[in-house]
Amino acid sequence: MVVVALALTGCKPRTRIDLHYLPGFVPGSQNIFRPVRIAVPPTTGNFGSGNSNVGMIYAADGTPQTPLVVADAARAFNNALIKGLADAGLMPVALDSNPGDGKPPEGSDFILTSDLEQLEVSKRFGTIQTVHGQYFSMRSAVRVKFELKNRDGAVLYSDEISGIENEPPNPVGAEVFLPLETEPAESLSVALSRAVGVLMLQPGFRAALQMRSVEPTPTSTPAPQSPGASPTP
């Protein structure tokens, strides 16, 4: 039945895309926190452990062409979150499950839960042919609900964050840019990395954690002058 449906709609078989975290993609999100231990339970959401439909590639006439799926989407995001927290200077501790009382387990200072609400990408081909190939537009979006608690179980931070990636980039004035990403997997990975990185920039999240102190810029020591020499201006 699945083969017949694909033949009738003109769709190609589903294509699985692999997501990966891009370290340092969001400026200012690396090495900003002191190394406190933060427990990270598995990401929840409406995504099963198998393949989840996350988008479609559309032909120039608008018909669906290739369905896109991600295997174990919640785990893929959770892995990216752990890497992002570590890149930010924290010490994430991956948990097998969310504690029943919602508090950090022994040895952890905080617990950060994540609920993956949206993970999707669409690529639409146009009718225009350029020297770089057939024109297309692509949009990826990742939306996550985060909640940070301390040892007492008090909520220190709670918010919803989105990571968006549009291709090609929006024109600036009369200047039109070429696409930076051409593959749905790369575009969705960018959106995922933005959703993780932007968390590190949130004032509420930063206020709940200890920031690294900024080292003062060393001042240069004036070179010794010989007796009778004129002062250096």
Side-chain angles (χ1 to χ4, degrees):
M1 294 297 293
V2 173
V3 175
V4 173
L6 291 175
L8 290 175
T9 60
C11 280
K12 297 179 182 179
R14 296 188 302 173
T15 297
R16 197 182 84 174
I17 60 179
D18 296 320
L19 302 181
H20 57 275
Y21 172 72
L22 304 171
F25 189 83
V26 176
S29 64
Q30 288 190 300
N31 300 316
I32 56 176
F33 296 112
R34 292 186 179 180
V36 296
R37 296 175 69 86
I38 180 168
V40 183
T43 298
T44 58
N46 297 322
F47 296 89
S49 58
N51 290 334
S52 297
N53 294 321
V54 297
M56 182 74 68
I57 298 177
Y58 296 90
D61 61 1
T63 58
Q65 189 177 51
T66 306
L68 303 172
V69 301
V70 169
D72 205 346
R75 179 180 291 273
F77 179 83
N78 195 259
N79 290 339
L81 177 59
I82 290 173
K83 291 179 181 178
L85 293 169
D87 284 349
L90 298 164
M91 298 175 63
V93 180
L95 304 181
D96 293 330
S97 61
N98 198 353
D101 59 3
K103 297 180 181 180
E106 186 68 28
S108 295
D109 302 293
F110 304 92
I111 185 169
L112 177 68
T113 58
S114 54
D115 186 70
L116 185 59
E117 300 176 334
Q118 180 184 22
L119 184 78
E120 62 182 35
V121 56
S122 63
K123 183 176 183 179
R124 298 177 181 273
F125 283 99
T127 57
I128 300 175
Q129 290 286 342
T130 71
V131 293
H132 302 284
Q134 189 174 3
Y135 176 83
F136 70 88
S137 63
M138 186 160 53
R139 185 180 190 276
S140 295
V142 176
R143 187 175 68 251
V144 191
K145 175 67 180 296
F146 293 104
E147 188 172 79
L148 180 71
K149 295 180 180 179
N150 62 11
R151 291 176 182 171
D152 297 326
V155 177
L156 304 180
Y157 170 82
S158 179
D159 204 356
E160 184 181 86
I161 291 178
S162 295
I164 305 295
E165 168 71 1
N166 289 308
E167 295 291 351
N170 294 326
V172 177
E175 186 174 5
V176 178
F177 300 98
L178 296 175
L180 301 176
E181 308 294 346
T182 59
E183 297 298 327
E186 292 302 315
S187 177
L188 194 54
S189 293
V190 167
L192 178 148
S193 302
R194 280 202 175 118
V196 172
V198 168
L199 170 66
M200 314 306 163
L201 305 184
Q202 298 305 298
F205 189 72
R206 290 189 171 202
L209 300 170
Q210 295 179 335
M211 304 290 294
R212 288 182 184 269
S213 58
V214 179
E215 295 294 333
T217 303
T219 57
S220 58
T221 304
Q225 296 181 344
S226 58
S230 301
T232 303

